[in-house]
């Protein structure tokens, strides 16, 4: 089962009506403004590299300092005409404010907070744009883990739609009136228009040939956008031997060496810990075999619990090298133009673009952002075809889809 979060548990979330109608339950992992982004501070337990638990008071005090550091980075942003990385800005703040510097174990806890920040973007702090890192419009209501996963949502939305699996697209030919999509085995599919929602990593790798070639402004938008990578090493055990907290973290002298596990048992009842690796570490994990990756995660776990037994099952993701993804989700690189999302979103004749990276409401990197971007692309495509063909068939299809989203029951969320 794949467990994912809903970022923004509120009625303004475009997925909320469908989640309500399906009666899906969520487990609240944070309220608004959590310093850990999608978890609250009291739900974590940290250990040093020698297996000693970090006092919770230290964790809280460093968390307060981290908030102040991030607040001070805004002043750095306003002072510099050129863009910097978030890590550069943090370094400048610490030079200016020695009182915010941390020593010893507190320094390692600060690195862990940076590690958690990097996990939010699925990228290293030295690549994240200071100009835009905090401009995301996070919905209210905090964050909730989808206890049953997102599969019920996908299943409901895909009902009665002709979906062809295992059809890897190799070429898209955009003509005056038609679009021809060529798949890996050479078969062609012809349509009046096409909506392209492949991950940005696939577009960046030029795995799909466009005829005619994409214009320079579209190619530069694809090149200018960052794509993060975050992998999970899920470990299932026969027995629960860990404390009843949501995050189990390891602090270290660098953010790269820090790590953390999500405790799915607390939220779902499954005896599963999930080690999370983002940025460069995520790519390094992908260089390992599945068994070696599981061993790596177990070495981290044994730093906290020396007598931890071997898992009875493990599962390793490889988003960075999966040819159908080549990364997780988009983020802003240092020094890139601010109109990159607008250029990526812009249609080209009969081609329309969807996916989390083209979300108009600054909800990039989220499931609801991908969903809302898809709806907008479908509406734009529909208007285009009505103008050209005068057909109402697609409008009726979209309208019928919206009927399943109407529901009056509240969102079901709890904190165990």
């Amino acid at each position: 089962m794949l467990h994912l979060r809903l970022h923004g548990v509120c009625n303004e979330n475009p997925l909320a009506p469908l989640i309500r109608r399906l009666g899906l339950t969520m487990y609240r992992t944070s309220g608004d403004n959590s310093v850990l982004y999608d978890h609250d501070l009291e739900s974590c337990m940290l250990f040093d590299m020698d297996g000693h638990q970090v006092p919770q008071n230290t964790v809280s005090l460093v968390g307060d300092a981290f908030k102040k550091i991030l607040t001070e980075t805004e002043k750095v942003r306003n002072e510099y005409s050129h863009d910097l990385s978030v890590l550069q800005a943090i370094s400048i703040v610490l030079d200016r404010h020695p009182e915010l510097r941390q020593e010893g174990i507190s320094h390692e806890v600060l690195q862990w907070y940076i590690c958690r920040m990097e996990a939010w973007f699925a990228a290293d702090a030295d690549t994240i744009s200071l100009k835009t890192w905090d401009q995301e419009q996070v919905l209210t209501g905090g964050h909730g883990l989808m206890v049953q996963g997102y599969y019920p949502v996908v299943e409901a939305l895909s009902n009665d739609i002709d979906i062809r699996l295992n059809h890897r697209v190799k070429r898209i030919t955009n003509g005056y009136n038609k679009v021809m999509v060529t798949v890996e085995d050479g078969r062609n599919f012809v349509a009046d228009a096409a909506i392209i929602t492949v991950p940005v990593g696939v577009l960046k790798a030029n795995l799909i040939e466009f005829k005619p070639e994409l214009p320079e402004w579209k190619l530069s938008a694809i090149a200018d956008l960052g794509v993060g990578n975050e992998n999970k090493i899920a470990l299932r055990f026969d027995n629960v031997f860990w404390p009843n907290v949501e995050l189990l973290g390891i602090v270290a002298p660098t953010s790269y060496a820090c790590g953390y596990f999500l405790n799915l048992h607390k939220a779902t009842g499954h005896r599963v810990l999930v080690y999370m690796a983002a940025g460069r570490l995520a790519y390094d994990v992908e260089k390992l075999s599945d068994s070696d990756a599981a061993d790596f995660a177990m070495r981290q776990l044994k730093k906290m619990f020396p007598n931890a037994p071997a898992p009875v099952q493990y599962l390793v993701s490889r988003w960075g090298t999966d040819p159908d993804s080549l990364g997780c989700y988009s983020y802003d690189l240092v020094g890139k133009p601010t109109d990159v999302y607008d250029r990526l979103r812009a249609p080209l004749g009969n081609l329309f673009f969807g996916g989390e990276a083209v979300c108009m409401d600054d909800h990039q990197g989220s499931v609801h952002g991908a969903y809302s971007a898809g709806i907008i692309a479908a509406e734009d495509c529909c208007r285009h075809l009505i103008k050209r063909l005068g057909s109402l068939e697609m409008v009726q299809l979209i309208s019928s889809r919206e009927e399943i989203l109407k529901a009056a029951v509240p969102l079901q969320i709890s904190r165990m």
Side-chain angles (χ1 to χ4, degrees), residues 275-291:
Y275 184 81
M276 309 291 289
R280 295 184 184 95
L281 179 58
Y283 284 105
D284 287 344
V285 165
E286 294 192 39
K287 298 174 184 176
L288 305 175
S289 66
D290 283 4
S291 61

Side-chain angles (χ1 to χ4, degrees), residues 158 161-169 183 187-189:
S158 62
I161 295 179
D162 181 8
I163 297 176
R164 310 290 179 93
L165 301 177
N166 300 313
H167 284 56
R168 186 175 290 153
V169 174
V183 297
R187 282 180 293 169
N188 296 315
F189 295 86

